Amino acid sequence: MSYTDAQIWGVVALLGAGTFLIRFSFLGLVGDRPLPEWLLRHLRYTAVAILPALVAPLVLWPPATDGQPEASRLAAAAATLGVGYATKNPIWGILAGFATFLGVGLIA
């Protein structure tokens, strides 16, 4: 099925308007008011959830191996979680995962 240029630009315009309205509803309408404590408590975890949500599919279903999990990626994810949890420092966790990925990749 092929789409016309007008249909494609219509979808782009609708998605842009939808994104704007979603952001405006939060920032424009309630941006100058204090937010309830329960909402602030939940928003605190948003940034922490973004990185695992982006990385998990690449660890569990990597496109480089046609979706088959491999030992180096799983070991790197485990090392990242372990070191990050133990040190409470994301940089050390990332470095440990990177070193593990390279190390296991050289061995395998």
Side-chain angles (χ1 to χ4, degrees), residues 55-68:
V55 172
L58 298 174
V59 171
L60 299 175
W61 303 283
T65 61
D66 291 328
Q68 298 300 318

Side-chain angles (χ1 to χ4, degrees), residues 6-97:
Q7 290 173 323
I8 293 172
W9 280 108
V11 169
V12 169
L14 286 173
L15 290 173
T19 300
F20 173 78
L21 290 173
I22 288 171
R23 292 174 191 221
F24 181 76
S25 69
F26 191 78
L27 298 173
L29 299 178
V30 295
D32 59 344
R33 299 181 199 150
L35 295 175
E37 183 59 36
W38 64 269
L39 181 60
L40 291 174
R41 190 172 343 115
H42 293 301
L43 288 175
R44 195 174 328 156
Y45 299 107
T46 303
V48 177
I50 290 172
L51 188 59
L54 292 172
V55 172
L58 298 174
V59 171
L60 299 175
W61 303 283
T65 61
D66 291 328
Q68 298 300 318
E70 63 179 339
S72 60
R73 294 173 194 270
L74 294 172
T80 301
L81 285 172
V83 172
Y85 184 76
T87 63
K88 306 289 190 251
N89 188 331
I91 300 300
W92 285 116
I94 291 169
L95 291 174

Side-chain angles (χ1 to χ4, degrees), residues 6 54 62 71 93 98 100:
L54 292 172
F98 181 65
T100 304

